[in-house]
Amino acid sequence: MRRTRLALAACLIPARARAHDAFGDLGPFYESFLHPLADPLQAALLIGMTSLLARQSLRLVQYALPLFCGAALVSHLALNWYLGAVAPTTVLAWGAVVCGASAVVPLRTIPRILVLGVVIAAGICVGAAPGSASAGSVWQLLLGTVSGIAVFAILSWTALDTLSRHVSPVAPSVAGAWVVAIGLMAAALETGASQMGPPDDIENEGGA
């Protein structure tokens, strides 16, 4: 019993937290590969998009997933690598809201062309999300990012499709509703932070 208490106490000791350092130093490929697990908005976009696809026919999914991965690749190359730009947090947050909401509305109200449009837009947002800050081979970073997006999209769709068929048909809609909540919360936090402006000490230093 004493050892259990000591172990629990050790787990509660505060430690320094580092952004995007959830997995330690794994190298450029694995850090970029696992980036969707470390970036909540990128993960929300992936889950929101796959929640929408989990409610569609398999024939449509066969076209949609390659389109999503292709859009993510082109966006990542054009924006992150060529222009050195990343999508603002607000854009990613509202993108997650749109993806999640699309998985909640009735199927009959969403034409297939609109589904594909949402999938492509989600791919553009995911590809333009801030990538791993790890230094290393450009090709390792690129291959890890694209592979991670593709693998986690397929795994997420497989899990949600399985839940829909074997547990409850509303499982993708529930996941989409959670994605909407996450996106709205992120958008609200980002809007509040921008309205507050920089801290006083930074403003004073700038004025000096």
Side-chain angles (χ1 to χ4, degrees), residues 44 47-48 51 96-97 100-101 104 171-185:
I47 295 173
S51 299
V97 171
V104 176
S173 297
V174 173
W178 277 103
V179 170
V180 170
I182 293 170
L184 289 174
M185 181 176 63

Side-chain angles (χ1 to χ4, degrees), residues 143-162:
L143 183 60
T145 298
V146 176
S147 300
I149 290 172
V151 168
F152 286 113
I154 293 172
L155 290 177
S156 176
W157 172 79
T158 302
L160 290 169
D161 181 68
T162 302

